[in-house]
Amino acid sequence: MRVVGEIPHPDCKITLFAWNNRYLIKFEQGFLEQTFKIHEYDVTSEADLQALVDETFIHETLTRFEAMGASLRNRLNAIG
C-alpha cells in the first residue's frame, strides 16, 4: 500500500492510498475509521481523487462518524 497524499482537516485525518488497482480514501477520527475504495479506472488521476474529497464529502463523512460513535456507545452501554 502506497500513500499518495493527505488532505489536512481539523476534525479528522484523511489519507489517500494506492493499492491493488484501487485508491483508498481513509478517514480517521479517534477510534473510528471509514475507508472508501475506488477503482483506479474510475478517476483519471490522483488529482481527481483529491478533488473528490470536497467539503460536502467531508461533512457527510463527519456526520457518519457521529452516528457510528453513538451506535458504539449505545452498544457498550447495553453490555456494561
Side-chain angles (χ1 to χ4, degrees), residues 45-60:
S45 69
E46 292 173 6
D48 285 348
L49 185 65
Q50 291 201 5
L52 178 71
V53 185
D54 63 5
E55 282 303 314
T56 300
F57 192 76
I58 293 170
H59 174 75
E60 292 169 352

Side-chain angles (χ1 to χ4, degrees), residues 12 14 32 48:
C12 63
I14 306 169
L32 302 173
D48 285 348

